Amino acid sequence: MKYVSNLVLGFQNSLVYRANFFISLVTRLLQVGLSLLMWRALYLESGQNTIHGYSQTHMMQYLILTGLLSLIFTFEPLFRLARQIKTGKISTLLLRPINLNLESLSNFVGAKLVLIILLGVLIVVLTSGQGFSTILILLYALVSIALWHQIMFLLGTLAFWLVQMWPLRPVISALYLFCGGLLFPLDVLPTWAYQGLRFSPLALVSSDLVQTVLQGSRQPQLLFLYLGLTVVWLIALVGLSRWLFRVGLHKFEGVGV
Amino acid sequence: MSFRLYGVLAQQSFKTFLTYRMTSVLVVLFGFMFTAIEIAAGFVYYSFAHRIGGLNFLQYEILIMSLTSITTTYQFLFVGAHESLAGDLIEGNLDYLFLRPLPSYWYYALRQLDFPSGVNLLVYMPVTVFLLTRFPLSWSAWGLIFVIYVVGVLFVFALNQIVVEISFWYDNLTALNGVPEDVISAASRPARIYPRWLQLILSTILPVLALSNGIVTVTVKQSTAVRMLIPLVIVTVLLLVFSFYLWQRGTRHYVSAN
């Protein structure tokens, strides 16, 4: 129940700081727009109707969907945890009978609640008539949100060691754009790179999820594989975060208490 | 602010860099990773076409590397101050600044050098110059490149300065801090891929295309690069004046919380 209250708080907080939401929306749309313009130019310059099996329409659909998904996948959990560690405010949270990871997750889900509901509706609309596959894709999307949060939480624990966190922003952003397939579908990469990246957490939560939505029930075995791997990554990263957090706490000096 | 004082501040920053070795090493690595990803994306794009927006692969890489050099120079010189301003305002840390007999605007902006970015810059600058030497450029072209580089750094500084100064009036507007970075990154492609109307806006009102495409355009047509530079200079001066004005207003609005 305490996490539900925290989720509601996160939701209310997102309503109070509406400007943050709109600014994030505009900057993400800029990024999507850039990818669309780049690919429009590529189709034009190459003189081909399809590139790597993608028609221009198919490519635009893919880029728009990964772009929309990136509205949910923001870096707030990372910098929120880092701020709590840097300011020492985490001390007050450590005294409470709560799991900090779940507290962060509930806050993140609350902050993104409207977008998560919209994503659910979009998935239902795009995969309508596919029955059980739709439910599995919805489940895959929810696990992906938890996995994304876990990646951010894990990186946030680096604040126990790092003095400055700002350099993480551009590098994670670039990694997400590249490995998450926001610049291009990952299967346009050379085979070795594609096979190396397609099962990474960033690909699973973004590129693979969108491909699953677009391909629907044509490849049900792939849907099971992606969902299973997302769960495995989630469990592994939860374990790693717990360990890193415990080690980090030994370095923590509780400034601000 | 005197050169002697700046030297002392630079020494202090260098000692911080050496003290926090792990952070410094990671910041350097993150910087290189970011650039490597941008370059790799270029390889992917150019595997499908020989020219994009009128630029070949080498010119595209010059675009990426010159823009990275400009933004990394900004980070080296100013990012430390910009990253701490919002926090300093809330915690009342500006009190110590106003007690000193120094122009607070420049003292705050220049008080911390980010040496890890300086290390990145030691690689980016020679690489950019090397890539540019693949084109036969006259001395005037090199002069033009230098001017675009200097004005570009000042433009990025002024844009970020204005954004962080908004913290004098609004706290927790965290999303705004990433806007200059996102806008600049959104302009990091060949200018001709953007629709005409957008090119016009991004070349005159918010000349980020001059920032990203200015230097590489010197290798294509020098007169076009000059035409891109003019609005960049004008807007940079206006942004600097406005940021100075905002600082004056903001410091009057500032109430110590300490």
Side-chain angles (χ1 to χ4, degrees):
Chain A
M1 191 61 203
K2 53 197 171 190
Y3 299 111
V4 176
S5 308
N6 199 47
L7 188 148
V8 174
L9 270 175
F11 174 65
Q12 287 171 340
N13 204 36
S14 70
L15 294 180
V16 173
Y17 296 108
R18 288 182 298 276
N20 270 337
F21 171 77
F22 287 111
I23 292 168
S24 307
L25 185 72
V26 170
T27 51
R28 290 286 169 165
L29 289 178
L30 269 178
Q31 202 55 255
V32 179
L34 180 67
S35 290
L36 293 179
L37 287 172
M38 195 65 185
W39 277 98
R40 195 187 65 152
L42 271 172
Y43 276 97
L44 211 69
E45 307 256 1
S46 68
Q48 294 170 350
N49 291 326
T50 58
I51 291 181
H52 226 281
Y54 287 90
S55 68
Q56 196 167 343
T57 316
H58 191 183
M59 181 65 82
M60 298 299 159
Q61 274 178 348
Y62 169 86
L63 293 172
I64 290 170
L65 278 178
T66 47
L68 289 178
L69 207 55
S70 74
L71 289 171
I72 295 175
F73 296 152
T74 54
F75 307 149
E76 273 136 32
L78 189 169
F79 291 104
R80 183 171 176 264
L81 177 64
R83 227 176 8 254
Q84 287 170 344
I85 294 169
K86 289 277 160 232
T87 56
K89 284 179 185 156
I90 202 162
S91 305
T92 52
L93 288 171
L94 288 168
L95 292 171
R96 295 177 193 172
I98 50 166
N99 179 320
L100 276 182
N101 200 340
L102 286 176
E103 188 273 342
S104 173
L105 176 64
S106 55
N107 182 279
F108 177 60
V109 172
K112 302 288 173 190
L113 197 58
V114 177
L115 291 170
I116 292 171
I117 293 169
L118 285 175
L119 173 70
V121 173
L122 192 68
I123 289 174
V124 170
V125 171
L126 288 173
T127 61
S128 60
Q130 293 179 18
F132 189 60
S133 288
T134 304
I135 297 167
L136 275 181
I137 294 173
L138 279 172
L139 180 66
Y140 178 20
L142 289 177
V143 180
S144 294
I145 292 165
L147 178 57
W148 174 265
H149 166 267
Q150 205 51 51
I151 299 168
M152 293 299 111
F153 191 84
L154 176 73
L155 292 171
T157 57
L158 292 179
F160 283 118
W161 292 274
L162 293 178
V163 181
Q164 288 166 325
M165 294 297 281
W166 68 263
L168 274 174
R169 202 186 302 139
V171 79
I172 300 168
S173 181
L175 271 173
Y176 175 43
L177 287 174
F178 193 95
C179 305
L182 271 82
L183 297 175
F184 33 71
L186 292 178
D187 54 3
V188 307
L189 291 168
T191 313
W192 60 269
Y194 172 55
Q195 294 302 341
L197 283 178
R198 66 185 294 206
F199 300 127
S200 68
L202 289 175
L204 283 167
V205 301
S206 179
S207 177
D208 296 339
L209 176 60
V210 169
Q211 294 287 25
T212 310
V213 172
L214 288 176
Q215 290 175 7
S217 55
R218 267 177 287 168
Q219 287 178 299
Q221 73 284 8
L222 214 54
L223 173 56
F224 278 108
L225 178 67
Y226 288 154
L227 179 58
L229 281 172
T230 310
V231 173
V232 169
W233 269 113
L234 181 61
I235 294 167
L237 292 188
V238 167
L240 189 59
S241 302
R242 283 170 70 103
W243 176 74
L244 262 185
F245 198 89
R246 225 179 10 248
V247 176
L249 269 185
H250 288 297
K251 280 185 69 74
F252 182 61
E253 289 170 357
V255 178
V257 180
Chain B
M1 201 166 106
S2 67
F3 280 110
R4 200 168 65 85
L5 177 60
Y6 191 59
V8 172
L9 292 172
Q11 270 180 25
Q12 231 172 45
S13 304
F14 188 66
K15 283 175 184 164
T16 311
F17 166 68
L18 294 179
T19 307
Y20 300 117
R21 285 181 295 276
M22 187 176 164
T23 301
S24 303
V25 169
L26 285 175
V27 171
V28 171
L29 280 179
F30 290 158
F32 286 135
M33 273 172 73
F34 173 72
T35 312
I37 291 167
E38 283 281 350
I39 290 172
F43 273 104
V44 176
Y45 290 137
Y46 278 87
S47 65
F48 301 115
H50 295 298
R51 295 185 87 80
I52 302 172
L55 302 184
N56 62 28
F57 177 68
L58 184 60
Q59 287 168 320
Y60 179 83
E61 293 303 337
I62 290 175
L63 185 156
I64 297 296
M65 288 311 298
S66 60
L67 180 62
T68 308
S69 296
I70 289 172
T71 50
T72 310
T73 308
Y74 152 76
Q75 285 169 1
F76 174 53
L77 296 174
F78 306 111
V79 81
H82 285 166
E83 282 300 312
S84 57
L85 182 63
D88 282 349
L89 279 172
I90 291 167
E91 287 158 26
N93 287 343
L94 287 193
D95 293 12
Y96 309 111
L97 187 71
F98 299 134
L99 288 171
R100 294 169 194 197
L102 292 162
S104 60
Y105 177 91
W106 287 113
Y107 176 73
Y108 196 90
L110 296 169
R111 73 196 180 112
Q112 199 181 339
L113 292 172
D114 184 63
F115 275 93
S117 301
V119 175
N120 290 139
L121 200 57
L122 282 177
V123 175
Y124 298 153
M125 284 283 241
V127 171
T128 310
V129 171
F130 171 74
L131 292 175
L132 283 165
T133 57
R134 314 300 289 170
F135 294 87
L137 296 172
S138 62
W139 283 107
S140 63
W142 282 105
L144 184 58
I145 287 168
F146 180 72
V147 174
I148 294 172
Y149 167 72
V150 173
V151 178
V153 174
L154 287 174
F155 174 83
V156 181
F157 161 72
L159 201 61
N160 278 285
Q161 179 77 10
I162 288 169
V163 166
V164 291
E165 282 171 0
I166 291 172
S167 306
F168 276 114
W169 291 275
Y170 299 100
D171 66 330
N172 240 326
L173 203 55
T174 48
L176 198 62
N177 296 340
V179 169
E181 194 181 294
D182 289 324
V183 171
I184 291 167
S185 135
S188 61
R189 298 288 182 265
R192 273 169 47 188
I193 73 158
Y194 300 87
R196 277 289 166 88
W197 61 271
L198 195 58
Q199 278 184 42
L200 197 68
I201 293 171
L202 297 180
S203 306
T204 52
I205 299 167
L206 190 67
V208 279
L209 277 183
L211 192 76
S212 57
N213 283 254
I215 290 178
V216 73
T217 306
V218 178
T219 68
V220 183
K221 201 173 180 191
Q222 218 168 307
S223 57
T224 314
V226 174
R227 273 206 302 276
M228 290 176 109
L229 175 65
I230 294 166
L232 183 67
V233 172
I234 295 168
V235 174
T236 302
V237 171
L238 289 176
L239 288 178
L240 282 171
V241 170
F242 184 59
S243 73
F244 191 72
Y245 167 76
L246 266 188
W247 180 266
Q248 302 292 338
R249 290 287 303 266
T251 48
R252 275 203 291 273
H253 186 260
Y254 169 75
V255 180
S256 168
N258 202 332

